[in-house]
Amino acid sequence: MHTAKCFYLDEEKQWLGYLPNFPDHWVHGETFEALQANLYRLNFDLTLVETLRKVSEFSLR
């Protein structure tokens, strides 16, 4: 199981949070569990984007 740290605020009607690696991308949820699910999706999406940006060269024969 993979774990990640997050920073969050407990506002009156919603939870706000972000991941340390992506501090400009905040998500929210009505419950802490919903916030965790949204942070998981954010981490997946942004990590996938970083992975897809890797460039490689190869020779054509």
Side-chain angles (χ1 to χ4, degrees), residues 7-61:
F7 297 97
Y8 64 91
L9 298 169
D10 178 10
E11 296 294 323
E12 284 185 27
K13 295 186 180 183
Q14 66 179 346
W15 292 75
L16 303 170
Y18 68 93
L19 301 167
N21 293 347
F22 307 103
D24 294 335
H25 300 278
W26 286 69
V27 295
H28 63 88
E30 291 183 10
T31 64
F32 184 66
E33 291 76 19
L35 174 64
Q36 286 179 313
N38 292 337
L39 286 167
Y40 175 83
R41 283 190 285 277
L42 176 67
N43 185 58
F44 177 82
D45 291 345
L46 294 176
T47 303
L48 180 63
V49 167
E50 284 186 355
T51 302
L52 292 175
R53 287 185 180 168
K54 293 180 182 174
V55 177
S56 178
E57 290 185 20
F58 60 95
S59 61
L60 298 173
R61 296 180 191 208

